[in-house]
Amino acid sequence: MRRADRLFQILQYLRGGRLTTAAQLAEKLEVTPRTIYRDVAHLIGSGVPIEGEAGVGYLMRDGYDLPPLMFTHDEIVALVSGARLLQSWGGTKMAAAAQEALIKIDAVLPEDARRQVGQVQLHAMETPWHQGHWRDYLDRFETASQDHIRLQMTYADEAGRETARIVRPLGVWFWGKVWTAVCWCELREGFRMFRLDRIVALAELDPFRPVNGQSLRDFYESGSYKS
């Protein structure tokens, strides 16, 4: 989690004037209490009226709130539509995060902007393609591409023939109906794209180090996705 996101979360937990300890905040945000001490000191130094001390707990005085978020109508439509798309077409964690983001945005929007959110009539519907484990695979590929984790999978081609692959995930693409994983395939010794709905089984292996000639930038420069 980025520090800016963590500072925002601390403010959310301190709302309402309830005493909250650094240990409680650290557990919720999955950091050390020492990190919380530094973050709270930074917030206080920025003018946020937080009271308390290390070892006792912190609270934020009533009446303090974050400035309301200001969005144009088109920005609201884009944010709401994007979140709804992820709820229907994203991974399991992505869908939950999109819902949480909408709740947080709604909580700090001015009243007139909040009404506009409810009036957005762009929706995303699920289809029979949504059956299977692709949502879980999407989350796992996204995480593996960020953390550079090799994956072992059983993959079925269009004819249903299965092969065992070990891949180095580089990213995931959405094509308007299906998600594909962009990978360096160790079996083929080259870039390959795999449809997530054709993956039969998936398991994590060990971390890998990015290699020159096998990065996502190299994939783009190769033009492999155009073939």
Side-chain angles (χ1 to χ4, degrees), residues 138 171-175 178-182 193 196 216 219-220 225:
L138 176 54
V172 287
W173 283 18
F174 184 58
W175 295 87
V178 297
W179 285 92
T180 59
V182 181
M193 300 180 70
L196 300 190
L216 190 59
F219 170 76
Y220 291 147
Y225 59 95

Side-chain angles (χ1 to χ4, degrees), residues 21-94:
T21 67
Q24 291 171 327
L25 291 170
E27 182 178 1
K28 291 178 181 293
L29 298 174
E30 299 181 350
V31 296
T32 65
R34 183 181 296 273
T35 297
I36 298 297
Y37 297 147
R38 289 198 298 264
D39 288 345
V40 170
H42 176 81
L43 289 169
I44 293 174
S46 300
V48 179
I50 296 175
E51 299 177 352
E53 59 182 284
V56 177
Y58 301 100
L59 57 83
M60 190 162 58
R61 292 195 299 268
D62 290 337
Y64 178 83
D65 207 346
L66 295 176
L69 291 176
M70 300 302 295
F71 294 112
T72 66
H73 172 75
D74 289 342
E75 290 169 343
I76 289 175
V77 171
L79 288 170
V80 174
S81 301
R84 289 175 179 172
L85 280 169
L86 281 178
Q87 286 177 293
S88 293
W89 292 89
T92 303
K93 291 191 296 184
M94 291 181 189

Side-chain angles (χ1 to χ4, degrees), residues 26 37 97 134 165 167:
Y37 297 147
W134 69 270
R165 305 290 185 104
V167 298

Side-chain angles (χ1 to χ4, degrees), residues 8 12 15 65-73 75-76 79 100-114 116-117:
F8 180 81
Q12 298 303 314
R15 288 178 186 274
D65 207 346
L66 295 176
L69 291 176
M70 300 302 295
F71 294 112
T72 66
H73 172 75
E75 290 169 343
I76 289 175
L79 288 170
E100 184 66 22
L102 282 178
I103 292 173
K104 289 179 179 178
I105 290 173
D106 184 73
V108 294
L109 282 176
E111 183 60 33
D112 59 339
R114 191 177 297 117
Q116 292 184 54
V117 170

Side-chain angles (χ1 to χ4, degrees), residues 9-27:
Q9 290 288 346
I10 290 173
L11 290 176
Q12 298 303 314
Y13 288 127
L14 293 180
R15 288 178 186 274
R18 291 183 298 179
L19 189 69
T20 305
T21 67
Q24 291 171 327
L25 291 170
E27 182 178 1

Side-chain angles (χ1 to χ4, degrees), residues 132-144:
H133 300 288
W134 69 270
R135 284 186 182 272
D136 174 58
Y137 294 159
L138 176 54
D139 285 332
R140 293 167 69 181
F141 265 97
E142 192 276 330
T143 298

